[in-house]
Amino acid sequence: MVIEIEKPSSVRLSKVAISKTHGEDSPYFAGWKAYDENPYDEVHNQSGVIQMGLAENQVSFDLLEKYLEEHHEASSWGKGAPGFRENALFQDYHGLKSFRQAMANFMEQIRGGKVKFDPDRIVLTAGATAANELLTFILADPGDALLVPTPYYPGFDRDLRWRTGVKIVPIHCNSSNNFQITPQALEAAYQSAESMDLKVRGILITNPSNPLGSAIQSSILNDILDFAVHKNIHLVSDEIYSGSTFSPSEFVSIAEILRNRNYKDAERVHIVYSLSKDLGLPGFRVGTIYSYNDDVVTTARRMSSFTLISSQTQHLLACMLSNHEFTQNYIKTNRERLNKRYDMIIQGLKKAGIECLKGNAGLFCWMNLSPLLNEPTRQGELELWNIILNQVKLNISPGSSCHCSEPGWFRVCFANMSEQTLRVALQRIHKFMEQRKVCSVNR
Amino acid sequence: MGLLSRKATCNTHGQDSSYFLGWQEYEKNPYNEVNNPNGIIQMGLAENQLCLDLLEPWLMKNPDALGLKRDGISIFKELALFQDYNGFPAFKRALADFMGEIRGNKVSFDPNHVVLTAGATSANETLMFCLADQGDAFLLPTPYYPGFDRDLRWRTGVEIVPIHCTSSNGFKVTLPAIEQAYRQAQKRKLRVKGVLITNPSNPLGTTMARDELDLLINFIEDRQIHLISDEIYSGTVFTSPSFVSVMEVLKDRNLDQTQVWERVHIVYSLSKDLGLPGFRVGAIYSNDPVVVSAATKMSSFGLVSSQTQYLLSAMLLDKKFTKEYMSENHKRLQKQQKDLVSGLEKAGIRCLDSNAGLFCWVDMRHLLKSNTFEAEMELWQKIIYHVKINISPGSSCHCIEPGWFRVCFANMSESTLKLAIQRLKSFVSSIGMKSQSHQELKSLRRKARNNWVFRLSLQSFYDREQDTTTKVSFSYRPHFMSLSNIAATLDAAA
């Protein structure tokens, strides 16, 4: 008889520590691994895997670098470092007032000045990852549920559920109406939660959407808010991609919807924002929660103690974002460049015979490869994904990792590489599609 | 309107505690040498402001570190994109080396076992999430840092069960005290997952002796539980005895690579040693790869800004600089502590003998009207509103003996410290306790010498313990209720 000896330490760790809810075993991350092991390089590794699974914005760094070159005081506190001492000691969870002011202004500019943001309602967190988790801790108890439209950012499975113990119940969207959220889908999700004995505490939308790459229409935003009011639940609007809409008129923030209603029902609405996508600064860990609810602001502020932004970084960004000339130019130029990239990839995919969902924002497009599936199932999708990863050598994100209920859709990022690399990627796709045509003709 | 979660509406954030109320009073009327010489002097904030003038010239001499350049070439893009939760490799190496230096290189730290977090606040909470489930408990020696009530319990749902320490032996941890705490936890049907110590101690300002660490290691080995050693003040040890980390004791006992080795975890931060609390740099160090892995993933919720990681990797890699800095840091801390201790002595106030930290544990029991926490609160209010000094009452640190206060000394200039001492002196003479306290001081000194040398026998400890529990059996809520009016007025004014 063999006596199994359990590794003692795992018995003594928490359930949270040993659970898989961090989600890192999903294919979403396996693709990254393949990339890490054989990364494409324009010069040194032209046959490597091209990373198209990372929603980063690398198109506007030159603008940021130029600003820093011309404004040394942002990174060095000026001659003799007079502000250094105060800055190094500053750990107040209210955050630097000048930085909050600059953030409020920046958020207003992104929304074309159509709404105003009060700096005292801004709570700072180390990234939107922290902001979303924090809001979940505040709005829901363990075992409760949040409704999230599919397809959604895979990271939510970890951010909203892992340490909070809160569940996600999907609001199913499909291609029949361009994956828009409908009142029927909202109600169905709510009923589904109820049938599982889950208390629904709120809805979390991402607008513009990740992975769809499109902004939610104002009529739908109104429907969602009405639904939240009717069910007496919260509404969190993750607007992390708000500055990445290709044209300013395309994006309507939930803040505008509220303003149109004279801020009636505002106390259930909370906005998440970050500089990781619009400014391309994920390493600096800058996220915010903007809430119209005083209790949420107070509690979120206290909780932000666990995830404060480095005061050094707050100082740098306060300088940068207070410079109106800089921010105006940046927002405009960034939009134009993203738009150009988007056009480039859409045209390229079209030439290869691939259709995408019509997008108007974000750092990615939502590509339809369902005609290529061996079988219209998740398995078929993963098989195709494997081929694209290992033969075409492109890391793209399969729709199933985003909980899409329709197999065959993929998220393809286009802003984290040079134009040249994007061309190479498109060439590979073209070649792949050509080969498939040849194969099917010969069968 | 949809309700908020239980976590949002409970009081576990601890902000109604006197610890934070004192801060609020200070905020309303802060002392300033020039603009507000009659304001409240902040002695409730454990910050190290004594050596920031040493960091400033280093920054001037190293413009690349600030300007996000390497050898004059911009690496802005690389840093801006760097969000890898494994952390900036150069920074982890530099931090691991720095931690080794602080411990006289008697132990070395593997950078691969370091997890970076946004401050020790985040590190401690993350460790709770990794080691304990909701409803489990950790044992903590009292008095302890008031922030732990929030950091360890709020979002995790973990309970704290106190290991009561008393002045009878200089507040050292004893085996009967630990066992009593363990039994208490069992009575409350709580599963004990570990012990958390702060070494050097906040608020005591003392380093733990080897025998205490041995005791703790034996206990956790016996009960098969974890030990977290928050060593955030390890770089502030300014005089003997020198700092002995729990890692050193494990190594000396040849316990490295055993099971208990994997159940000991260290928390560190640059907020106290380098005086950079704003930069949010904390770390977890664990020998258990499963803990390192889980904590690393969790650090996504509180990563250190890559801009800051880069700056500090350059600074910590400058070993000549850090050596000089730490040496000067110790000198200045020692001087400031000496000034406070001798100044208080002249006012008839005694401090616990300390060799570390940014504060003294001050004995004002002789100034209490009665040996109760109500009297402690009364004294504290007088000190805030009449003496105009913010200090932290022992009850906010869960001390079971009324009359002790934590008084910080490293967050002010020499002259401000002198002024604070002067104010206290006047206060003490005004309540006419001076002569009485001198007598007490003499006899206490005699007792103290004896107590701190001998080891308590079990029986005598139990006797003493009975006394304290009958006198002081209460939960920490009741005496806070007497503050509720103040809290309401302060909240309204905020």
Side-chain angles (χ1 to χ4, degrees):
Chain A
M1 187 178 88
V2 176
I3 300 169
E4 293 272 2
I5 300 172
E6 257 182 348
K7 184 170 180 350
S9 56
S10 40
V11 172
R12 271 187 294 277
L13 300 187
S14 67
K15 295 194 196 90
V16 166
I18 57 180
S19 85
K20 299 278 183 222
T21 317
H22 50 71
E24 299 212 4
D25 303 329
S26 104
Y28 184 63
F29 295 95
W32 283 27
K33 196 161 173 279
Y35 165 76
D36 280 337
E37 285 164 10
N38 181 20
Y40 172 85
D41 184 278
E42 248 169 83
V43 180
H44 301 124
N45 189 16
Q46 288 163 1
S47 59
V49 175
I50 298 180
Q51 174 65 286
M52 301 189 92
L54 190 53
E56 267 177 6
N57 180 359
Q58 295 190 25
V59 307
S60 303
F61 272 122
D62 56 312
L63 301 177
L64 297 169
E65 279 169 330
K66 182 164 176 285
Y67 173 85
L68 289 174
E69 268 307 302
E70 292 169 4
H71 297 90
H72 282 185
E73 74 281 6
S75 44
S76 65
W77 299 284
K79 270 197 168 53
F84 164 70
R85 219 188 135 93
E86 205 185 308
N87 190 235
L89 292 170
F90 186 85
Q91 58 171 331
D92 181 352
Y93 62 30
H94 287 81
L96 266 182
K97 176 103 195 205
S98 58
F99 179 49
R100 281 185 286 121
Q101 189 66 57
M103 269 300 240
N105 289 342
F106 190 63
M107 287 169 73
E108 285 169 5
Q109 280 186 287
I110 283 174
R111 290 156 184 74
K114 290 188 220 133
V115 281
K116 290 224 137 279
F117 288 103
D118 175 0
D120 291 336
R121 291 196 168 280
I122 289 183
V123 176
L124 302 173
T125 61
T129 299
N132 282 315
E133 191 201 38
L134 208 145
L135 269 177
T136 306
F137 270 122
I138 292 177
L139 306 179
D141 289 307
D144 289 343
L146 290 178
L147 307 183
V148 183
T150 66
Y152 61 77
Y153 162 56
F156 280 156
D157 286 330
R158 173 197 61 192
D159 300 349
L160 309 180
R161 301 183 319 157
W162 190 19
R163 305 191 305 179
T164 61
V166 170
K167 306 204 191 298
I168 294 177
V169 173
I171 301 166
H172 288 298
C173 303
N174 57 65
S175 59
S176 64
N177 69 340
N178 293 323
F179 294 94
Q180 289 175 96
I181 301 160
T182 64
Q184 294 79 9
L186 285 165
E187 185 62 45
Y190 193 90
Q191 295 303 328
S192 169
E194 292 226 297
S195 71
M196 294 189 276
D197 246 328
L198 301 173
K199 190 164 170 214
V200 176
R201 302 304 288 266
I203 307 163
L204 190 146
I205 58 175
T206 307
N207 178 29
S209 161
N210 173 11
L212 301 178
S214 59
I216 301 180
Q217 291 173 20
S218 64
S219 58
I220 296 179
L221 289 171
N222 272 299
D223 286 342
I224 298 171
L225 184 54
D226 286 339
F227 184 82
V229 171
H230 176 63
K231 302 287 187 189
N232 195 18
I233 57 180
H234 293 276
L235 174 56
V236 177
S237 180
D238 184 344
E239 301 190 350
I240 194 176
Y241 292 101
S242 47
S244 306
T245 42
F246 308 149
S247 122
S249 57
E250 303 264 12
F251 171 64
V252 177
S253 165
I254 196 73
E256 285 173 63
I257 304 293
L258 285 174
R259 196 211 57 200
N260 294 341
R261 298 178 180 208
N262 282 320
Y263 296 98
K264 182 171 179 293
D265 305 314
E267 79 284 358
R268 68 183 69 251
V269 178
H270 325 281
I271 297 177
V272 167
Y273 186 56
S274 159
L275 298 181
S276 299
K277 310 296 178 183
D278 293 345
L279 280 189
L281 303 172
F284 287 8
R285 313 314 303 145
V286 182
T288 73
I289 293 170
Y290 188 91
S291 177
Y292 295 92
N293 181 316
D294 292 346
D295 289 333
V296 173
V297 172
T298 305
T299 309
R301 211 182 265 144
R302 288 176 178 158
M303 257 191 209
S304 70
S305 303
F306 299 110
T307 184
L308 297 174
I309 301 177
S310 166
S311 53
Q312 180 196 13
T313 303
Q314 289 190 50
H315 169 84
L316 176 103
L317 294 167
C319 291
M320 192 187 276
L321 298 184
S322 309
N323 188 317
H324 197 76
E325 197 190 321
F326 167 78
T327 53
Q328 286 274 69
N329 181 47
Y330 181 92
I331 292 170
K332 179 167 170 286
T333 310
N334 185 45
R335 280 206 176 110
E336 283 164 5
R337 292 178 182 180
L338 288 175
N339 198 358
K340 185 167 175 236
R341 281 295 174 96
Y342 173 76
D343 283 341
M344 191 179 154
I345 195 175
I346 294 299
Q347 296 310 320
L349 290 175
K350 207 167 184 177
K351 276 204 197 101
I354 297 174
E355 291 293 319
C356 292
L357 183 75
K358 178 118 183 23
N360 58 358
L363 313 174
F364 32 74
C365 58
W366 189 234
M367 182 170 76
N368 184 7
L369 293 182
S370 55
L372 276 69
L373 298 184
N374 281 335
E375 45 179 84
T377 61
R378 186 169 182 266
Q379 188 55 34
E381 179 184 284
L382 285 175
E383 274 168 24
L384 179 60
W385 176 68
N386 254 300
I387 293 172
I388 295 175
L389 182 62
N390 296 306
Q391 289 177 23
V392 191
K393 298 240 173 50
L394 299 176
N395 179 33
I396 59 180
S397 311
S400 48
S401 66
C402 304
H403 301 276
C404 186
S405 43
E406 273 178 48
W409 291 84
F410 291 79
R411 187 191 77 169
V412 186
C413 300
F414 55 71
N416 62 314
M417 61 190 72
S418 66
E419 276 188 16
Q420 178 55 24
T421 306
L422 185 55
R423 262 181 229 117
V424 172
L426 289 169
Q427 275 162 18
R428 288 186 189 179
I429 293 174
H430 203 257
K431 192 163 163 215
F432 169 68
M433 293 298 282
E434 288 291 309
Q435 284 173 341
R436 282 188 82 99
K437 259 191 233 153
V438 170
C439 285
S440 58
V441 162
N442 287 343
R443 215 172 279 138
Chain B
M1 176 56 243
L3 292 163
L4 300 187
S5 67
R6 287 191 284 271
K7 286 189 178 71
T9 49
C10 70
N11 274 336
T12 320
H13 50 72
Q15 304 237 169
D16 303 330
S17 122
S18 49
Y19 182 67
F20 294 101
L21 291 175
W23 284 23
Q24 283 181 32
E25 276 310 295
Y26 163 77
E27 295 289 324
K28 282 197 242 155
N29 181 20
Y31 169 82
N32 182 282
E33 232 166 305
V34 180
N35 303 320
N36 190 17
N38 292 321
I40 298 179
I41 298 178
Q42 172 65 288
M43 300 189 91
L45 187 54
E47 267 180 8
N48 184 357
Q49 294 189 23
L50 303 181
C51 291
L52 289 164
D53 62 304
L54 298 177
L55 296 178
E56 284 156 351
W58 186 91
L59 294 171
M60 291 297 107
K61 281 194 219 126
N62 294 272
D64 271 9
L66 276 182
L68 307 179
K69 295 195 171 115
R70 190 186 285 132
D71 302 324
I73 300 175
S74 171
I75 53 164
F76 171 74
K77 184 171 161 174
E78 183 192 322
L79 290 173
L81 292 173
F82 187 85
Q83 57 171 331
D84 182 357
Y85 58 30
N86 289 296
F88 207 64
F91 182 47
K92 289 215 299 195
R93 269 197 310 274
L95 188 63
D97 283 349
F98 187 62
M99 287 169 72
E101 286 282 339
I102 287 176
R103 288 153 186 76
N105 288 315
K106 296 200 205 102
V107 278
S108 65
F109 292 90
D110 180 351
N112 293 320
H113 292 199
V114 174
V115 179
L116 299 173
T117 61
T121 299
S122 174
N124 280 314
E125 193 202 35
T126 298
L127 268 177
M128 285 298 109
F129 273 120
C130 287
L131 305 179
D133 292 312
Q134 192 151 349
D136 287 343
F138 257 77
L139 311 181
L140 264 67
T142 65
Y144 62 75
Y145 163 54
F148 280 151
D149 287 329
R150 172 197 63 190
D151 299 350
L152 307 182
R153 302 185 316 152
W154 192 14
R155 305 193 301 181
T156 61
V158 172
E159 293 290 343
I160 294 176
V161 175
I163 299 169
H164 286 303
C165 302
T166 70
S167 60
S168 60
N169 72 339
F171 293 94
K172 286 191 186 304
V173 174
T174 65
L175 183 59
I178 303 174
E179 287 177 338
Q180 165 72 349
Y182 194 88
R183 275 194 304 272
Q184 251 313 98
Q186 287 178 318
K187 247 191 239 163
R188 290 170 59 185
K189 303 246 187 326
L190 301 170
R191 187 173 57 160
V192 176
K193 293 311 286 281
V195 179
L196 188 148
I197 58 173
T198 306
N199 180 27
S201 162
N202 173 10
L204 303 176
T206 53
T207 49
M208 274 196 169
R210 261 182 204 271
D211 58 352
E212 278 179 282
L213 293 169
D214 275 327
L215 193 64
L216 287 159
I217 290 169
N218 294 341
F219 186 77
I220 64 152
E221 193 165 24
D222 184 54
R223 305 294 165 133
Q224 308 250 302
I225 58 178
H226 295 274
L227 176 62
I228 299 174
S229 180
D230 183 348
E231 303 188 347
I232 193 176
Y233 291 100
S234 47
T236 66
V237 179
F238 49 77
T239 189
S240 63
S242 58
F243 176 60
V244 178
S245 165
V246 67
M247 285 298 176
E248 199 187 319
V249 178
L250 284 169
K251 197 161 163 240
D252 290 345
R253 286 173 58 170
N254 290 319
L255 291 172
D256 43 337
Q257 317 313 320
T258 63
Q259 267 183 41
V260 73
W261 175 250
E262 287 194 348
R263 292 203 308 275
V264 176
H265 322 279
I266 290 184
V267 166
Y268 186 56
S269 159
L270 297 179
S271 300
K272 309 295 178 183
D273 295 346
L274 286 190
L276 305 171
F279 287 6
R280 313 314 302 145
V281 182
I284 294 168
Y285 187 88
S286 175
N287 295 308
D288 182 343
V290 183
V291 172
V292 172
S293 170
T296 300
K297 295 183 171 84
M298 280 189 198
S299 69
S300 304
F301 299 111
L303 295 174
V304 179
S305 167
S306 57
Q307 176 196 17
T308 303
Q309 288 192 53
Y310 184 65
L311 173 72
L312 294 173
S313 64
M315 191 183 283
L316 295 184
L317 282 171
D318 187 346
K319 303 231 169 125
K320 182 167 175 286
F321 170 74
T322 54
K323 211 164 172 196
E324 285 169 8
Y325 175 92
M326 290 307 271
S327 162
E328 188 59 28
N329 186 34
H330 294 162
K331 279 203 194 95
R332 295 183 186 185
L333 286 171
Q334 184 172 33
K335 169 145 201 320
Q336 203 92 329
Q337 185 254 21
K338 268 205 179 111
D339 286 352
L340 176 64
V341 170
S342 57
L344 289 176
E345 218 176 77
K346 291 198 188 86
I349 299 174
R350 179 182 149 262
C351 297
L352 183 72
D353 224 19
S354 67
N355 63 332
L358 311 175
F359 32 71
C360 284
W361 188 235
V362 179
D363 184 358
M364 298 203 201
R365 290 177 292 175
H366 58 294
L367 300 176
L368 296 184
K369 284 214 175 99
S370 60
N371 184 19
T372 63
F373 287 103
E374 282 71 29
E376 179 182 283
M377 279 297 107
E378 221 187 287
L379 176 61
W380 174 67
Q381 280 172 46
K382 280 206 188 97
I383 294 176
I384 294 221
Y385 296 109
H386 300 305
V387 189
K388 301 245 181 55
I389 300 182
N390 178 37
I391 58 180
S392 311
S395 51
S396 68
C397 303
H398 300 278
C399 185
I400 55 168
E401 284 179 27
W404 291 87
F405 290 79
R406 187 192 77 170
V407 180
C408 299
F409 57 72
N411 60 318
M412 62 190 66
S413 65
E414 260 185 76
S415 50
T416 307
L417 184 59
K418 270 201 187 85
L419 175 62
I421 293 169
Q422 211 163 302
R423 287 186 187 178
L424 273 166
K425 255 171 111 173
S426 322
F427 169 69
V428 170
S429 21
S430 76
I431 55 177
M433 304 280 269
K434 198 171 181 190
S435 55
Q436 192 177 330
S437 72
H438 264 151
Q439 277 304 109
E440 281 223 275
L441 197 66
K442 281 196 205 138
S443 73
L444 279 168
R445 274 213 185 105
R446 230 177 293 125
K447 242 197 220 167
R449 255 195 303 269
N450 296 337
N451 283 344
W452 296 347
V453 165
F454 92 88
R455 283 171 92 321
L456 293 168
S457 71
L458 253 143
Q459 189 55 48
S460 68
F461 179 83
Y462 274 126
D463 287 343
R464 203 165 289 117
E465 231 243 351
Q466 299 276 18
D467 283 346
T468 27
T469 41
T470 27
K471 258 188 249 166
V472 193
S473 55
F474 64 99
S475 76
Y476 287 100
R477 288 287 164 218
H479 72 260
F480 287 161
M481 292 211 301
S482 68
L483 283 174
S484 62
N485 288 335
I486 300 178
T489 9
L490 287 174
D491 261 344

